[in-house]
Structures are given as C-alpha cells and as structure tokens.
Amino acid sequence: MNKQFLLMVAVWLSAVSPSMANAAGHFVYDQVARQEPIKGVVVGSDGAPIPGASIKSLATNKGTTTNERGEFTLQGAAGDKLVITFIGYTQQEVVATSTPMRITLSGSNSQLGEVVVVGYGSQTKADVTGALTQLKADNIKQGVTVSVDNMLQGKVSGVRIAQSSGEPGAGVDVFIRGVGSIRSGSTPLFVVDGIPLSNDNVSAGGTDFGLGSSEPKNPLNFLNTSDIETITVLKDASAAAIYGARGSNGVVLITTKRGSRGTSTLTYDAYLGTSKVIRKLDVLNADEYRKAIKDPAYDHKGNTDWQDVIYRNAFTQNHNLSFAKTTNTGSYMASLSRMDQDGIVETSSFKRTTARLNAEESFFDDRRLVVKLNLTASDIDETGIPNGNTAGSDGQLIIHALMANPTRSVYDSLGGYTNFNMNAHYNPAYLLSIYKDKTNTFRVLGNVEASLRLLKGLNYRINYGIDKSTSERNSTIYPNITDRTPLGAYAQNNLQSHTTLLDQYLTYNRSIDKHTFEVLGGFSYQQFKFAGTAFGMINIAKQGQGVDPEYNPGYSGTPTIPSGYAQENELQSYFGRVNYNYDNRYLVTASLRADGSTRFGESKKYGYFPSFALGWTLSQEGFMKDISAIQNLKLRASWGQTGNQEVPNKITQASYSLATSAGYYLYDDLKVVNGVLVNRTANPNLKWEMVEQYNIGADFDLFKGKLYGSVEYYNKTTKDPILNIPSGPLSPTTTVWKNVDASIVNKGFEFTLGTTLIHTKDFNWSLDVNGATISNKIKDLPVSELYSGSISGPGLSGVNANIYKNGYEAGSFFMLKHLGYDKDGKDIFEDRNNDGVINAADRQIFQGAIPNFNFGLNSQLRYKKFDLSFAVIGQTGGYLVNNTALDLNINSLASDRNVLRKFYEANANPANAVQLSTLYLEKSDFVRLSNLRLGYTLPLERVQWIKSVNVYVSASNLLTITGYSGYDPLVNTTKTVGGNQSLGIDYTTYPAAKSFLFGTTVKF
C-alpha cells in the first residue's frame, strides 16, 4: 500500500514539477522586475514642501524621509501601499504608482508640521530647539505698513517696537529681549532672502540750518510689504549664533513670495486711506490763554489752533500687482507696486515705487541643479519738515506750533504770514513755507543662489548677492525774517553704499533607522563700501527769484567748502552646524561661527561664537502616548554666544590732524606753524562685544490643536562692552575706545498662547496672545557713571536725563524729585542732602526707561464670507521723560508763549525756573487697539475668470488708553551723548497717525 502511494505521489510530482518550476521562475522574475524606485514629493495643503516626512512601504517594511524640498525615493513597486506620517499632519495611506507622485497631507490643527526658516536653511517646527517665532503674510499684513519692522509690533513675544518718529518712512527702534549695549544700539540683524543687510544708513542725512539735523530714513522702507511671505525672529543665541558677530541683538529673517502650486495667479491689491494725528496735546485755547496771562500785550486778538494749522488729514494710496506661477521644473513671481503717502504734517510725504522678480528653475535629472534669483528695486521720494532731533528748545517746527500764542493769527492784515517778531520763536506756518527738504533714494537688492546635489543627501550651495543704493538729499532754507539762517542756505548731501556677499556651504542629510542628522559647513564673505559728499551755498536768492538751488546751485549765493568721506570694511566668516534627531524624541543642535572683521585690530580680528541646544519631545515617549489631551510637548534648553561689531571704522587706529592749537613758532616772523594733534588713541586690542545667553523653553500642543504655544525663560548677558571712556595718565587724548569688564544683564519670561475657539464649516475663531517680562541691570562698570539723553529746554544746555550706573537699569533717569507746589505755586524739590539748597547734588536715579512687561493680542474670525481681525498691544512698567512738556512749562506764560493746560490748572507760578525733574517723568503704560479689519469675500460662482475678490475696511491706532500726556507713549527720540544711546526721551517727535482705509484684493 505504501509503495503504491509513493508511486502515485512521484508520478504526480513529475507531472506538475515543470509547471511549478516555471511558475516559481516566473514569480522570481516578476519580483525582480517590479523592484523599481518610487519617487514623489510630499506637500502640505498650501503646496509647500514638507521636509522630514516619513514614507514607509507596508509591502517591504522599508522606509525613508523627504529631503528639504519634500522629495523622496523609495525602492518598491507600483501598487505597494505607502504610509506617510509627519508630526502635525494626519497620517495618510496611498498606493504607489510608477510615475512621480504628489502626496498632499492635511494638517491636524497642529503647528508642529509648519516649516520655519532658520539661518542657512529650514526646519520643521517639531525639530526646532532654539527660541524663534515665524509670522506668515496673513498674520502681518494689517493697516498702512511702510516698513517691515513695523509689522512685528505686538506679534512676537520679547520684541518691542518704539517709534523714533511717526514721519512716513522714518526709522523705528527694534528691541529683542531688552537693551544689550550702551553705545552701539540694539538693532537686530535683518536678513532678506539670504542677504544680511548692513545696519548703516542708506539714505542721506539732512543739514542743520539751526532747526536740527534730520535723521536718515528707515533702511528697511525700500521693501514692498506685500511681497513678504514670512518673517522669522531668532531670539536666543542657539538660533542666532550661526550669524555670529552680528547676532547679539537677535536676527530677523525675511523671505519674499514665490510662485504658488497650481494654476498661475494674477493678484491686484489696493487700498485708499486717510490719516490724522493720533491725538492733540492739551494746550490752552485762545479764551483760556487770555484769562491766564497777566500782561494784556500778549493778547493779539486772534483765535488759532496752531496744531490744526500744521496737521492735516493725509491721503494714502497703495497699489500692488503681482503674478505667480509654478511649473514642473520651477516657479516665478513678479510684482510691481506704488505707494503714495502724505504725512499728517503739512508738506511731508513718502512715495515709493518697487519692482520684484523671484525665479527658480531646476536642471538635469531629478532637480539635481536648482538656480534661484531674487531681485528687487525701489525708488523712493520723500519730503521732510524742519523737525530735527538735534535742535535745541527753539529749533523744531512742532514745538513752535505747540508754544505759539493761540491769540495770534496765521496771516496779517496784508495777507502775509504774521511776523511774531521774536527771537527763537516763529510762525510755524511761515517756517514750513521757507523750508524744503527732498530726498531720493534708489536701491537694488538681489542675489543668485545655486544648489547642486553632489551625492544623495549631499548638496553644495553658493549664494552671491549685492545691495546697492544711491541717495541724494536737497535741503533749502530761503532768506527769512527769523534768526535761523536769515540769509538762506542750500545743501546737498549724497550717499552711496554698496554691499557684496558671497556664501558657499555644504549640507549633508542622512537618515539611518531612527537616526536623522544634518551637517552644515560653509564660508561667507561680505564687503561694505560707503561714500558720501556734501556741498552747499549760503546767502542764496529769495524764494521765487530765479531757479531753485536744488536745480541750479550756482544760480546765486556763496559756495561753502565741499566735504566728503569714504569707508570700507569686510567680514570673513566660517560656520558650521549639526542637527541630530533620534526617533523624533531627542534633538541636538550645535553650531560654531568664526568671524573676522576689519573693524578690529590685527590681534583681535577674529571672534568665535558657539552654541548648543537640546530638545526632548516628551509626547513621543511611550508613557505619554495614552494621554489624549497632549498632542505635543517638547522641552528645550540652549546656550550660546553671539557678537556685536557695530562700532565706528578705524577706532582701533590712532588719528591725527594738523591744528593751530598744537602749533609752534618756528621762525622769527611770529607766524604759527600748525602742529600735529592726536585725535584718537590707538587700541589694537579692541575686540567684539560678546553676548552670552541661556534659554529654557517648552512648546506644547493640546486638545487636538485647541490650545498651543510656548513658554521661555532667558538670561542674556552682554560682556566686554565697547565704550569710549576717560583715558589713563599720560594718554595723548582724554578718552580711549576700550573693552571694559562691565556687563549688561537682561532676563525674563516670555509666553505665546494660541487657541482655536471655534472651528466649524461656517464659523472659525482663533485667538493668540503673547507677552514678555524683562529685568535689566548694569554690573561692574569701571567708571562711576556714563550719561546720555540730552535735554532741550531754555537754560538747560548740557543737561542729560539718562545715566548708566552699576546696579541700575540701562538708561535710568537722573534728575530732581518734584514734590509739588507751595501755596504760591513755586516748585518744591526734595533736598536730598539736607543742605538747604536745591542744586545738581540733589539729583536722584529713577529706573524705568525700559517697560518691564509688554504684550500683544491678535484675533481672527471668519463667518461664511465675512472676516474680522483685530490686534491689541500694550506695555507696563516703563517711564518717559516728556521733554515736550518741559518746553511747554508754566513760565512760557511770561514770554508770549503757550503752555500745557495741566500746568496752569495746577496753579504753578510762571516765575518758576525750568529744571529737569520728575515733574516731566511720566508712566508710558498703555493699551492700544492697534488694528481692526473687517472684510467680505464676494460670491463669484458665475464669474469664471476671477478667482476671488475680498473687500475690506481697516483702522490703525484706533483707540489708545494711557495716562501719558504726550502724543504717543510708544516713542523713543534719539538724543545720544558721546555715542551712548538714549532711552525713554520724548522731544517733539513727529506724532504717530490714526489711519482709516478701504481696500480690495482681487485674484485672477
């Protein structure tokens, strides 16, 4: 039986074995044939690539991750099921195809999958270990925004924006995590599309005709804000150390828009608006003035509100046309814009025309070579007013308008301007009529970047950029009846700047099982060239006679001696960074940059700036995965050092000049021969200011995106500050530039909280709030004190309001303490030393130029086709010296001038002498509705050639709640002394504006 069974099996096997062999052979052949690369790209719902996404084949159990362009290659076969996962996005399963795939992941209401820009690259928010904040275009485009830095107001914790002037196009002060330097300012480094900008001026300054020298304009006002895609603020040293020598005050990365995925888009943005002064100062009106004066000669029988004379309802219009498209191999974006903004002060204006082209194209197989071009050109025309910040108590237009007697008339009986017949006080309307100030600045910023994939994961990049500007400023004061340049004068100031950048670096990305790392190493060279000239005429022809001097300077008058200068400096850098990620749980970032600058001596030319950061994603741990309320929880800690090279050129070298004061008598004819005068003592050991910073933070995403945000603690210490301090014995000069052993410490907490309150088909409501505390202190200053903050006022020449002293905040205030008035209205000051005499020895230190808490609240609502957004900003714990109020003190009633109502109502005595005291020190606390916008998207279902039309109305600076009596509590007039920066001074600054506008955005 067994033999028969075995025989039957043998016969059966012999019959079927050929077919089995063929089948097996065919199966093996098919498997080999089907093994082929699966290629594709992973993008978000907005079309942006997602680097670091995980792709796994369920058939082979093999996986890979996407590169920085969202691309991947995986060995597999068409028909395999792929699983794509990434933090912050919903997991997706797709079937592989033989052709390149495009996989779109939808967000899971989490912020973690967002790609953020960092120095020399990008990361997902889930992989970030440093303290940074990225804003997108939709979050920052609100109201009339001339410049990028204004767009940051209230949007980023730890960032405070203060106006140096409300004039269109004027500069602003940007403080990131406090004041980190005594003399070199606190301006961060701005990087536009990979080009670090110089913080030097690119527009020419104005000439002082006895009315103060006007500051140059904002160097960032050349950018069309509609072109901006993202703004990223790098706050801690871990994030900023890759920029080394210029990262001490933080770094702001600006990227502009590129072509979007899908069909081509043609967009037209436009708005029309009007602006007016944010508030008027409360001075006496004509009737009140008549009651207040003792001398009837000061009643000139008129009735004039002089603020209404110089302020106006200003018109603004802005038009922007852009085109964007993405092809299979590249993308393109082009834009053209025109902004025309009248200032709220008569005759002032800002007009800007910009053009931009961003292009990207790829070559060879699988985008092996990618070439990018970014190019922008701007032409700006500005008209200024006589309101220089260096003027004394009688030299600015706005102070003349505020102190003008309200019983005077603008015009006399003959129709001409009323002559006040006073020294140091003039009819403000007349002052405007005799003064002209026009500035033209043309600027080109562009770069070409090429990226070549040498091997899998290894890329070489080169970035060549230029930043070139030319500026011409024509200032004229015509012959006049004042005591300010009465014979008239003309001056032309010219400025040229040219910056060249060359970056080269390699990046290597590799993933092995659960290990992912990126290594970056590179070299950077940047050259800065500046040159300026100035010439002018005095005793020019009267206004209206002949040709205006700006068109023909030689028509009349006497030439002044021309002047000029040129300077050049270079920065050479080597940098490297390593990012390591283990299993999306443990993150490590380390970087080092070596910077060499020609601004320092041979022995100290290079500085080295390291950083190190750790991240732990707790939510990826097994013990956290069952907590459904937590989608993400990440702890971060970082340490790093950055530098500050913002010092004048050549200060390490000695400077000499020929001067009569150093001369001698060589011959018997008693003629003095000029001698050599030492102007500056050499210090070849001068080195960088160094900022060391610690940061501990946490990022969280809770309740499926309903609540998200971050908290931070930072400690930021400036070491080796560069100061111009008194020199030692036998020095040829009285002062010397040195690094001193002092330190400036800034520390505090920051938080950002966001929530999606409602998320339905028809109604969405999101809200975010941010805030930051700050504590600032100076330590180990080797001199007893340093001063700054020059005060303008009658009899106050040489009086300074700011003091830098050990144990106190930077820019604390130094003044008498005002206790009130006696029964006769005389000032009462505290006699601190009890000697019975009130003098300079009784001055005290008062802290608070820097607000110790600032915050912002932003909300967006959408109901069907309506959208509503608003923004609120505020600050507490700060003080301002109201230098404007000091000039409008009570004794003006005794000199045919106006006063603030509060001094009159306090029964102050007009015989009081003017002294700097806490009478003029006011809290700068405020809460402001900074923007309100209501929009409506028109239904266009039947119109196929228009994609969307959104119309909106918007208001800026709509409501301010404050106890400050000046125009604006968010102000910081530049009143430096000896190069030391001033803080918390308000002197007749061009006021901020309250704006209303109507606009539309049309997409074709």
Side-chain angles (χ1 to χ4, degrees), residues 98-143:
S98 58
T99 57
M101 306 171 63
R102 180 179 176 84
I103 303 169
T104 302
L105 297 183
S106 58
S108 59
N109 293 328
S110 171
Q111 307 292 309
L112 302 176
E114 179 181 338
V115 177
V116 296
V117 178
V118 296
Y120 301 99
S122 62
Q123 288 181 298
T124 63
K125 195 169 183 180
D127 292 335
V128 169
T129 54
L132 61 84
T133 300
Q134 179 167 287
L135 304 174
K136 292 187 176 181
D138 293 340
N139 305 122
I140 54 181
K141 188 180 178 183
Q142 295 179 334

Side-chain angles (χ1 to χ4, degrees), residues 803-820:
I803 186 171
Y804 292 86
K805 191 176 180 67
N806 283 328
Y808 295 94
E809 286 185 7
S812 293
F813 302 114
F814 192 46
M815 59 185 64
L816 298 173
K817 185 176 182 179
H818 190 267
L819 301 178

Side-chain angles (χ1 to χ4, degrees), residues 497-547:
S497 66
H498 188 189
T499 301
T500 304
L501 169 74
L502 178 64
D503 285 338
Q504 298 185 77
Y505 53 100
L506 289 168
T507 58
Y508 181 66
N509 296 274
R510 184 73 186 273
S511 295
I512 304 174
D513 296 328
K514 296 181 179 181
H515 306 272
T516 301
F517 59 89
E518 178 191 70
V519 180
L520 178 146
F523 166 81
S524 179
Y525 171 80
Q526 199 163 8
Q527 182 186 61
F528 309 89
K529 293 181 178 180
F530 297 90
T533 59
F535 68 91
M537 308 289 292
I538 58 174
N539 194 16
I540 62 176
K542 292 183 179 180
Q543 190 172 13
Q545 289 185 359
V547 181

Side-chain angles (χ1 to χ4, degrees), residues 871-941:
V872 177
I873 61 173
Q875 65 184 34
T876 62
Y879 287 83
L880 282 172
V881 174
N882 192 340
N883 195 170
T884 305
L886 186 148
D887 265 10
L888 299 171
N889 60 79
I890 193 64
N891 70 8
S892 292
L893 285 175
S895 56
D896 204 5
R897 295 175 171 88
N898 206 350
V899 300
L900 287 175
R901 177 179 282 105
K902 67 176 183 178
F903 295 144
Y904 173 68
E905 292 180 346
N907 295 315
N909 194 317
N912 288 341
V914 181
Q915 298 201 61
L916 177 63
S917 72
T918 56
L919 177 63
Y920 309 106
L921 187 63
E922 303 182 42
K923 286 187 176 182
S924 62
D925 300 355
F926 76 91
V927 176
R928 171 174 293 167
L929 179 58
S930 62
N931 185 265
L932 178 65
R933 182 188 186 278
L934 175 63
Y936 178 72
T937 301
L938 300 178
L940 298 170
E941 289 80 2

Side-chain angles (χ1 to χ4, degrees), residues 191-194 223-231 253-259 333 356-358 373-376 445 447:
V191 181
V192 179
D193 288 329
L223 284 173
N224 173 18
T225 54
S226 295
D227 287 340
I228 295 173
E229 180 67 25
T230 64
I231 300 176
L253 307 177
I254 301 166
T255 61
T256 55
K257 295 177 180 177
R258 317 196 72 79
M333 194 284 288
R356 170 169 286 276
L357 173 63
N358 288 350
L373 168 69
N374 304 295
L375 181 64
T376 185
L445 177 74
N447 66 308

